[in-house]
Amino acid sequence: MEESDLLKITGKRIQQIRISKGYSQVDLAGKILGVFDTTNVSRIESGRTNPTLNTLHRIAEALEVSLSELLNIEECETDV
């Protein structure tokens, strides 16, 4: 798997969890600890940026899921 595919799949997984929780990108950005812009959420979900482990941990906390659940890309349905 290429890095770009992994980023897209991870972003899609984050998007799926966010939507299942009923959050918009604005809602999620507001729930993430520290300053976090909505455009960052958009770039991560679209696979255009490589989030740090710390960022992924903050997203998982905001979504109230474990980091392992967030990164469980086998659960992700995507067309990469």
Side-chain angles (χ1 to χ4, degrees), residues 33-50:
L33 286 178
V35 178
F36 206 86
D37 194 77
T38 304
T39 58
N40 291 337
V41 174
S42 176
R43 284 194 303 267
I44 291 168
E45 288 186 357
S46 66
R48 294 188 321 247
T49 191
N50 190 354

Side-chain angles (χ1 to χ4, degrees), residues 20-78:
S20 77
K21 300 276 184 173
Y23 299 154
S24 68
Q25 289 183 344
V26 173
D27 296 333
L28 177 57
K31 292 178 73 61
I32 295 172
L33 286 178
V35 178
F36 206 86
D37 194 77
T38 304
T39 58
N40 291 337
V41 174
S42 176
R43 284 194 303 267
I44 291 168
E45 288 186 357
S46 66
R48 294 188 321 247
T49 191
N50 190 354
T52 65
L53 185 56
N54 183 53
T55 297
L56 292 171
H57 181 259
R58 291 168 50 207
I59 291 170
E61 285 185 334
L63 291 171
E64 300 173 343
V65 298
S66 67
L67 187 56
S68 62
E69 184 177 345
L70 186 75
L71 297 176
N72 186 359
I73 59 174
E74 285 78 28
E75 293 291 321
C76 186
E77 298 171 16
T78 185

